[in-house]
Amino acid sequence: MENTSILSHVSVGTNNFDAAKTFYTALLTSVGFNVIEDLSEHKAIAFGKQYPEFWVGQPLDGNVATPGNGVHVSFLVDSNELVDAFHKKALELGATDNGAPGPREHYGAGYYGAFVIDTDGNKIEAMHWTEKV
């Protein structure tokens, strides 16, 4: 089978696994993603459509998790309405607004996105292409 993506998965760290699990489960299932692997006993959980694409967990080395400056994770959703729902749900769950939903033409024609900072300081986004690239 030929791959259609250049990425296998992305991981972000957390210092409060239970809170992060609750946050991401509520947020990502609200926009159509699934819990693929729940390894709570190892303080890790993975989400995706068919395979684990986004992991959240406590660092394996035992050190404090810190967000990377200049790093963000973007989730590709199926509609502008899901971008709006992602942003609204994230704020309800305690995330901080980092860019309200709307067109971002400077990223390309038809780019519609919303940005938040999760409860661990990670920069996350939901986006949808309204036009084919």
Side-chain angles (χ1 to χ4, degrees):
M1 173 195 298
E2 185 176 336
N3 292 324
T4 60
S5 176
I6 65 168
L7 298 176
S8 167
H9 63 276
V10 174
S11 301
V12 297
T14 181
N15 294 305
N16 183 339
F17 175 73
D18 293 334
K21 177 181 175 181
T22 298
F23 176 87
Y24 278 106
T25 300
L27 178 61
L28 296 180
T29 59
S30 77
V31 294
F33 303 128
N34 304 305
V35 174
I36 303 295
E37 295 280 342
D38 186 342
L39 304 176
S40 291
E41 68 275 12
H42 299 290
K43 304 292 185 193
I45 188 167
F47 302 87
K49 289 187 175 181
Q50 297 178 354
Y51 59 91
E53 299 171 80
F54 178 75
W55 286 87
V56 179
Q58 290 181 319
L60 293 175
D61 65 7
N63 291 322
V64 173
T66 58
N69 187 24
V71 173
H72 89 274
V73 175
S74 181
F75 298 100
L76 179 62
V77 299
D78 292 332
S79 69
N80 289 357
E81 292 77 20
L82 286 176
V83 171
D84 297 344
F86 174 95
H87 187 262
K88 180 180 178 185
K89 186 70 168 181
L91 297 181
E92 289 172 3
L93 293 167
T96 303
D97 178 36
N98 199 33
R104 302 292 196 284
E105 296 295 325
H106 55 284
Y107 294 143
Y111 192 108
Y112 187 90
F115 302 82
V116 298
I117 300 174
D118 77 6
T119 54
D120 280 294
N122 297 299
K123 300 172 204 167
I124 59 174
E125 170 191 10
M127 67 82 55
H128 176 249
W129 288 107
T130 59
E131 299 175 22
K132 292 192 177 202
V133 180

